[in-house]
Amino acid sequence: MDDDLAVVAQQLGRRPRAFRRVAVRCPYGRPAVTEQAAFDEDGRPFPTTYWLTCRQLVEAVARLEAAGGVERWSRAAADSPELATSLAAAHAEQRRVRPELDLGVCGARAGAGGLQCLHAHVAFALARPGYELGERILGELEPLWPDHCCSE
């Protein structure tokens, strides 16, 4: 755990808030997604349960967002009954996983409309396989993993 905490701190460039555990590891065995507590060490709410820490994935999602990905995937979720159902199910699962804050994926309240942060949806999809919308977003990030560990 201490080693994981040190790697995550290095990945983020700071000590992580509300760190609970590593939820997903990259193919090189390093943290890729962490699970966060509902409240940080100072008692402040931490809105997302799963946090993307792999620098390569964080950068890939940032590029996707910069290219209009949030708006495009928000439209896709609104226009596709399958994706809308997937998003609603993910929000409900998120609230079951961490009921203390009653928030959906990426700290969204039910009915907030649209996606806010693709990083949170990617982290949720990696940590909770079967999330169709998140898995489709992941499909745009190919190759998912770099050819070497980005944490070394």
Side-chain angles (χ1 to χ4, degrees):
M1 169 98 153
D2 287 338
D3 289 342
D4 284 342
L5 187 59
V7 172
V8 171
Q10 182 234 349
Q11 289 173 322
L12 298 176
R14 60 172 172 74
R15 182 172 170 78
R17 289 180 43 222
F19 178 81
R20 182 176 280 162
R21 69 179 184 89
V22 173
V24 177
R25 294 184 182 278
C26 74
Y28 307 102
R30 299 296 187 142
V33 176
T34 59
E35 182 179 317
Q36 309 309 115
F39 298 92
D40 71 12
E41 298 77 5
D42 296 326
R44 294 176 297 194
F46 197 90
T48 58
T49 300
Y50 300 109
W51 193 263
L52 195 59
T53 63
C54 169
R55 287 189 306 231
Q56 189 271 335
L57 287 179
V58 168
E59 291 169 7
V61 174
R63 287 189 299 273
L64 180 60
E65 286 184 345
V70 172
E71 296 81 12
R72 187 165 44 80
W73 283 107
S74 290
R75 278 192 313 275
D79 293 345
S80 165
E82 178 185 13
L83 294 181
T85 299
S86 171
L87 179 59
H91 283 320
E93 182 176 353
Q94 167 64 28
R95 286 189 293 279
R96 282 191 304 274
V97 168
R98 195 172 72 167
E100 301 93 332
L101 296 178
D102 192 31
L103 298 174
V105 177
C106 97
R109 292 259 179 229
L115 306 182
Q116 297 172 345
C117 170
L118 297 184
H119 293 85
H121 291 276
V122 165
F124 192 89
L126 289 168
R128 310 294 285 198
Y131 173 35
E132 181 65 27
L133 176 61
E135 290 175 1
R136 288 194 192 179
I137 296 168
L138 277 167
E140 286 196 40
L141 304 178
E142 294 298 329
L144 190 57
W145 307 108
D147 59 2
H148 66 284
C149 182
C150 60
S151 293
E152 294 180 347

